[in-house]
Amino acid sequence: MSREGAEYALRARADERDRISGHLLDLESHTTYQVLKGAPLRGLTQRRWMAGQAALTALWTLYDAYRGVLRDAEQIRASRGRLGSDQLAALTELLAGRSVVLKAAVKPVEQRSLLPEVDERLTLDEAVTRMDASFQEVTDALADIDAVWSAALPRLDAADALLREVTTLRRELDAPDGAVQAHTAPADTARADTARADTASAGTAPAGVAEELGRMRAAVLEDPLGSPPAPHDLDRIDRLLAGHRADLGEALRARREYGRRREDLAAALDRVRAAESESRLAHGAVVVKIALPPRAAPTSRVDALRDELAALDASADDWLVRARRLTSLEQAARQAEEQARATAAAMYGLVGRRDELRGRLGACQAMAVRRGTAEAPEAIRLHERARLLLWTAPCDLTKAAEAVDLYQRAIHGGGR
């Protein structure tokens, strides 16, 4: 090796040493590496990390020997301003020869031989290649473990946060609240207290979720490579807790708003009663004019709805069940009012239909007079039949409409 070549090689090796040192420092400061150093690992992860630690120990041993060679080379270079032939030969041997010595490891007695153990000698390039292989083994293990932790731990943290939220909602739901007693008879107070006590059944976190999350977290921390949580299990827990949170929220809203919603429901039932009364009046006014089938008589739902409301006031159901019953009652009240008003409108509409048929019959007769067909015997017969049906009370609208249609076709010569 020439003097210039030796100078260049030494500078390059010094840069290489600094780069390797930086990588090793970065490795030891890596978050996952720091966690693994004190983690109680087991299973596949323990075996993989033990192999990684052995590789890292070998790496450091080799790095120390590698660094010692470079230190000796730097001392030789610093000993003289201009290298002599002896110094150049020694420097060349260190930089290009098998100068990195790995001492033979002391083996357990049962593995020893009486023959001398042979130290291993490597060139600097061979030492770097072997160090890189050890480094890759360690970083590959870190990357695989970190990938599982990065995927699973945030989801477990989110599930734990959701579980805490469910627990908080449950405590809030279990707290005493007098909203229901404002509308509960004194005799039913004990049942209302029972309803609040039974709220725990609606607010209890799904059985075993906390324990399951704890087992998942322990498994992913202790053996992420061998026992990672299945994504479908995490999805199932997320759905379960989210659904429970929604149920608890609905139950809480029902408890907070029960008094107001009950008053609104009572007012809605008053509107139902008024609408049903209007429907009965309409039926009474129309049935004397229009022939109606028995099933057309309006039916009332308001009393049944009031009984359901009274039963809800005295209910011992948990708040989630009561919330759903209250919502169902509100919907039923709206539907009953809409149906009663629609029935009244339909009743009055039948009288309008009769009057429309009367006007149509008169228009047809006037047209027959202009055409000179009004005096035809068949026209006279059909007109008389239609007139009789339309001016008879109660009027059969179906037959009257058919009669008007027959008369109209007759005066048009059988067409429309």
Side-chain angles (χ1 to χ4, degrees):
M1 184 178 291
S2 66
R3 289 183 176 84
E4 293 77 7
E7 296 272 4
Y8 176 82
L10 186 57
R11 288 194 300 271
R13 291 298 181 182
D15 292 341
E16 181 180 67
R17 176 191 57 200
D18 294 342
R19 185 178 66 254
I20 293 173
S21 176
H23 289 335
L24 291 176
L25 290 175
D26 290 343
L27 173 64
E28 294 203 329
S29 64
H30 191 279
T31 302
T32 302
Y33 178 86
Q34 292 295 323
V35 173
L36 287 170
K37 283 176 63 176
L41 302 177
R42 58 181 174 83
L44 176 60
T45 306
Q46 183 185 47
R47 295 191 295 274
R48 181 82 178 274
W49 187 237
M50 286 177 64
Q53 286 181 309
L56 187 59
T57 299
L59 191 160
W60 275 108
T61 300
L62 188 54
Y63 179 65
D64 287 341
Y66 166 90
R67 190 169 50 182
V69 170
L70 293 185
R71 184 168 55 248
D72 291 344
E74 288 173 337
Q75 288 176 350
I76 291 173
R77 176 63 190 89
S79 64
R80 293 184 62 176
R82 178 176 173 79
L83 292 173
S85 58
D86 291 341
Q87 289 83 15
L88 181 59
L91 193 58
T92 300
E93 177 60 26
L94 289 173
L95 296 176
R98 294 186 173 276
S99 54
V100 181
V101 180
L102 289 178
K103 296 292 184 180
V106 178
K107 296 180 180 178
V109 68
E110 66 273 13
Q111 298 179 12
R112 293 178 189 175
S113 167
L114 294 179
L115 298 176
E117 298 291 342
V118 179
D119 295 338
E120 186 176 8
R121 303 184 70 89
L122 304 171
T123 66
L124 290 174
D125 285 337
E126 290 171 343
V128 171
T129 299
R130 188 175 295 187
M131 283 190 289
D132 183 62
S134 297
F135 186 80
Q136 290 301 324
E137 183 175 355
V138 178
T139 55
D140 286 349
L142 282 179
D144 291 345
I145 294 170
D146 188 65
V148 177
W149 282 352
S150 296
L153 290 178
R155 294 202 60 183
L156 287 171
D157 291 342
D160 283 335
L162 190 53
L163 180 60
R164 289 193 296 272
E165 188 176 350
V166 167
T167 302
T168 300
L169 288 173
R170 174 192 169 182
R171 292 196 188 103
E172 186 177 351
L173 191 60
D174 287 342
D177 186 283
V180 67
Q181 294 190 13
H183 301 284
T184 305
D188 293 324
T189 300
R191 297 190 68 190
D193 291 339
T194 301
R196 286 195 298 276
D198 287 346
T199 301
S201 66
T204 303
V209 169
E211 291 79 4
E212 187 174 5
L213 285 174
R215 288 194 300 272
M216 284 185 174
R217 185 175 290 277
V220 79
L221 287 175
E222 296 172 4
D223 189 14
L225 299 181
S227 305
H232 63 83
D233 286 335
L234 291 170
D235 292 341
R236 171 179 53 80
I237 289 178
D238 285 344
R239 289 193 300 270
L240 188 64
L241 290 174
H244 210 66
R245 178 179 59 183
D247 288 345
L248 288 170
E250 183 180 356
L252 275 170
R253 285 191 297 274
R255 192 181 75 167
R256 292 168 185 158
E257 300 172 359
Y258 187 82
R260 176 189 60 76
R261 289 177 67 181
R262 190 199 180 284
E263 291 176 359
D264 292 344
L265 183 54
L269 292 181
D270 289 339
R271 293 194 298 272
V272 172
R273 188 179 295 280
E276 289 181 348
S277 177
E278 181 183 352
S279 177
R280 287 192 297 272
L281 289 174
H283 180 269
V286 171
V287 74
V288 297
K289 300 177 181 181
I290 307 296
L292 298 174
R295 65 177 180 276
T299 58
S300 175
R301 296 182 59 193
V302 69
D303 291 334
L305 292 174
R306 285 197 181 279
D307 290 343
E308 288 185 43
L309 178 57
L312 181 58
D313 284 340
S315 172
D317 290 332
D318 62 61
W319 275 109
L320 179 59
V321 174
R322 298 181 79 178
R324 291 172 178 172
R325 288 178 61 184
L326 182 59
T327 299
S328 178
L329 262 176
E330 291 167 338
Q331 293 173 346
R334 286 194 297 270
Q335 292 170 356
E337 181 183 1
E338 291 169 0
Q339 182 177 354
R341 296 195 184 283
T343 298
M347 290 291 176
Y348 290 123
L350 294 176
V351 176
R353 171 62 172 160
R354 183 204 62 181
D355 293 342
E356 185 269 331
L357 287 173
R358 285 179 175 179
R360 182 177 159 196
L361 180 62
C364 288
Q365 185 183 31
M367 183 179 295
V369 171
R370 290 195 301 273
R371 291 186 173 187
T373 58
E375 299 301 325
E378 181 64 12
I380 292 174
R381 185 186 70 79
L382 291 173
H383 177 270
E384 183 60 23
R385 181 173 181 274
R387 188 192 66 78
L388 183 62
L389 287 169
L390 285 170
W391 270 267
T392 297
C395 170
D396 187 328
L397 278 180
T398 301
K399 291 181 178 180
E402 292 175 353
V404 171
D405 189 57
L406 287 173
Y407 177 67
Q408 184 174 3
R409 282 188 285 173
I411 64 174
H412 285 83
R416 295 299 299 267

